[in-house]
């Protein structure tokens, strides 16, 4: 069998997901009843997962029985080797705790590291489940608004963060890194500043790093673990390798007391992790799929550049936030002068489904998030249809 080349042609081919019970396509179709709708919303991709993952799943299927399964040292070692190889982060296997998904990890950190009524600081706009993880667990949301510079890049307001920590309004910081939806790959200096403030005011710091593998050159992903030895990092292969439906992630924490508190909260909440298929897929992803990932990131960079040029030429009133990381583009549509409801109504009428900026909080009003994790032809078709109604 000839070796598969993960080049532009490979990703151009994509994969049909219709009829697979996938939320992105089938869930959208059930909601709108529109067979022509193009899904450019929820953060998964329209590419086949790496062949090595399919092979690993086939081996598990061939076992013929799938009882309770433990996550072992090999699972943690695969994750540690991947993070060392791809991001230069040294992690010891004992620092790794397996969990079902990163959102579950966020909730566990909130419950384990803060008390009911405590304020947890988030930098907004931010991924919707950050709000829910805090609010639904009896804590208070403390917003520190990100600020855009003249180039449209979103930046942290360190004076505001410090004021909220110093006053006791915020007792912990939940960080999205890389940032969704603003597409930032936080620099080492930015992360050191946040970590320093948390250290100064005794505030736990935990970071969702699920998009770590989608950082575009010349930027590099800097893990919070590289700048804060007592921080908690949440990660998964799910976004990177398009296996979110398998429900597998990890909570990484070097500090033994913090790790114990999180594990105790897992036990109290009845959270378990040990899906036989998910564990096998994740081991394969972290071990045998670097070539696929390299080709994917190159392809996504091409998609990003295509969107920038298209919007500049055809949608001059729309401002593209510079995309340093993730495959999710944050488009500022405020200059169109449309109410949020009308903006979305027009896009639905044009058979294009994007993520409403308000999913990321009130500061997302006037914005939409566009998923570019798809074959170029799909992206081109969606943009043409968007341009026809956003004029």
């Amino acid at each position: 069998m000839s070796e598969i080349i993960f080049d532009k042609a490979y990703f151009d081919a994509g994969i049909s997901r219709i009829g697979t019970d996938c939320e992105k396509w089938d869930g959208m179709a059930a909601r709108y009843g529109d067979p022509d709708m193009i899904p450019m919303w929820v953060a998964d991709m329209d590419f086949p997962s790496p062949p090595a993952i399919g092979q690993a799943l086939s081996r598990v299927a061939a076992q013929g029985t799938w009882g309770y399964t433990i996550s072992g040292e090999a699972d943690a070692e695969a994750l540690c080797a991947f993070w060392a190889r791809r991001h230069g982060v040294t992690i010891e296997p004992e620092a790794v705790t397996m969990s079902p998904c990163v959102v579950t990890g966020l909730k566990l950190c909130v419950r384990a590291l803060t008390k009911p009524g405590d304020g947890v600081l988030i930098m907004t706009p931010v991924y919707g489940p950050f709000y829910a993880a805090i609010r639904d667990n009896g804590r208070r949301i403390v917003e520190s608004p990100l600020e855009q510079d003249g180039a449209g890049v979103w930046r942290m307001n360190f004076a505001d963060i410090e004021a909220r920590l110093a006053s006791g309004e915020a007792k912990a910081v939940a960080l999205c890194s890389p940032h969704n939806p603003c597409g930032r790959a936080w620099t080492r200096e930015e992360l050191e500043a946040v970590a320093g403030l948390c250290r100064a005011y005794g505030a736990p710091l935990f970071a969702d790093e699920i998009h770590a593998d989608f950082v575009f050159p010349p930027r590099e992903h800097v893990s919070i673990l590289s700048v804060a030895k007592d921080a908690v990092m949440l990660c998964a292969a799910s976004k990177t390798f398009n296996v979110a439906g398998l429900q597998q992630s990890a909570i990484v924490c070097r500090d033994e007391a913090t790790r114990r508190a999180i594990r105790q909260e897992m036990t109290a909440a009845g959270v378990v992790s040990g899906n036989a298929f998910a564990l096998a897929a994740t081991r394969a992803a972290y071990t045998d799929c670097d070539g696929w990932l390299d080709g994917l990131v190159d392809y996504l960079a091409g998609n990003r550049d295509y969107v920038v040029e298209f919007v500049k030429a055809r949608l001059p009133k729309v401002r593209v936030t510079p995309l340093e990381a993730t495959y999710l583009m944050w488009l500022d549509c405020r200059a169109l002068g449309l109410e949020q409801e009308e903006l979305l109504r027009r896009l639905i009428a044009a058979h294009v489904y994007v993520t409403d900026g308000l999913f990321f909080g009130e500061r997302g009003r006037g914005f939409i998030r566009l998923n570019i994790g798809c074959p170029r032809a799909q992206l081109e078709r969606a943009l043409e249809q968007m341009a026809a109604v956003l004029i």
Side-chain angles (χ1 to χ4, degrees):
M1 182 182 296
S2 60
E3 182 178 353
I4 298 175
I5 299 174
F6 303 115
D7 57 6
K8 184 177 183 297
Y10 173 88
F11 292 103
D12 273 342
I15 188 170
S16 175
R17 304 180 63 199
I18 297 172
T20 64
D21 292 330
C22 77
E23 183 177 3
K24 185 177 185 180
W25 287 84
D26 298 327
M28 177 195 66
R31 187 175 301 119
Y32 289 100
D34 181 354
D36 298 319
M37 191 79 78
I38 306 172
M40 308 297 288
W41 63 300
V42 67
D44 63 9
M45 299 181 287
D46 295 318
F47 306 120
S49 294
I53 294 178
Q55 294 161 8
L57 291 172
S58 294
R59 288 192 291 271
V60 176
Q63 292 173 186
T65 185
W66 307 277
Y68 294 116
T69 303
I70 59 171
S71 58
E73 191 171 343
D75 299 289
E77 288 178 346
L79 181 151
C80 295
F82 180 86
W83 275 80
R85 188 170 70 247
R86 302 294 302 194
H87 303 301
V89 180
T90 300
I91 301 170
E92 298 301 323
E94 58 265 27
V96 178
T97 301
M98 297 299 174
S99 64
C101 69
V102 163
V103 171
T104 298
L106 280 174
K107 295 176 181 178
L108 289 167
C109 285
V110 168
R111 292 173 67 92
L113 306 180
T114 65
K115 299 176 182 177
D118 281 352
V120 180
L121 186 145
I122 54 176
M123 300 171 203
T124 59
V126 73
Y127 181 51
F130 273 70
Y131 298 89
I134 299 166
R135 182 180 57 245
D136 295 350
N137 286 293
R139 277 65 169 175
R140 293 181 297 104
I141 296 168
V142 178
E143 294 192 40
S144 180
L146 297 171
E147 299 177 334
Q148 282 184 285
D149 65 16
V153 177
W154 295 74
R155 300 192 180 279
M156 300 181 194
N157 184 333
F158 295 109
D160 183 71
I161 295 169
E162 181 167 18
R164 296 177 189 278
L165 290 170
S167 68
E169 180 185 6
K171 298 292 188 181
V173 174
L175 181 66
C176 192
S177 178
H179 193 276
N180 173 18
C182 296
R184 281 301 314 277
W186 303 117
T187 65
R188 181 173 295 276
E189 292 72 23
E190 288 170 314
L191 293 172
E192 286 176 343
V194 173
L197 290 172
C198 288
R199 194 175 302 114
Y201 295 102
L205 173 60
F206 46 99
D208 168 2
E209 299 191 15
I210 198 169
H211 290 282
D213 302 314
F214 302 108
V215 177
F216 302 105
R219 296 287 190 184
E220 293 181 347
H221 178 66
V222 180
S223 175
I224 199 64
L225 296 176
S226 297
V227 301
K229 64 180 181 180
D230 54 350
V232 181
M233 187 268 280
L234 310 172
C235 65
S238 56
K239 289 284 186 283
T240 305
F241 300 101
N242 222 39
V243 291
L246 293 175
Q247 293 286 289
Q248 180 64 47
S249 72
I251 303 169
V252 183
C253 178
R254 296 191 181 103
D255 181 74
E256 184 178 354
T258 301
R259 191 165 63 243
R260 187 185 312 116
I262 292 171
R263 289 176 176 174
Q264 288 173 347
E265 193 59 48
M266 289 181 72
T267 300
V271 174
V272 295
S273 179
N275 180 296
F277 289 90
L279 291 168
T282 302
R283 283 195 302 272
Y286 284 150
T287 305
D288 298 318
C289 301
D290 285 40
W292 182 92
L293 178 54
D294 290 338
L296 171 66
V297 173
D298 286 345
Y299 189 84
L300 293 173
N303 276 1
R304 173 201 60 184
D305 296 344
Y306 182 85
V307 172
V308 170
E309 293 304 314
F310 183 97
V311 171
K312 181 179 179 181
R314 301 282 301 281
L315 289 165
K317 290 185 178 181
V318 175
R319 190 180 191 188
V320 179
T321 301
L323 187 69
E324 300 171 351
T326 83
Y327 54 84
L328 307 163
M329 300 195 74
W330 192 228
L331 305 184
D332 183 349
C333 301
R334 290 176 292 181
L336 293 171
L338 302 173
E339 294 294 331
Q340 191 75 6
E341 296 75 13
E342 175 62 14
L343 172 62
L344 296 171
R345 188 200 66 77
R346 290 192 183 191
L347 292 171
I348 292 296
H351 312 289
V352 179
Y353 190 35
V354 298
T355 302
D356 184 352
L358 291 177
F359 176 72
F360 308 94
E362 182 59 33
R363 298 195 71 235
R365 185 175 295 278
F367 290 80
I368 58 174
R369 193 189 72 177
L370 184 76
N371 180 345
I372 62 169
C374 63
R376 181 71 54 82
Q378 180 177 323
L379 178 61
E380 291 174 357
R381 191 166 73 255
L383 288 172
E384 288 288 346
Q385 292 171 203
M386 291 170 64
V389 295
L390 299 183
I391 55 175

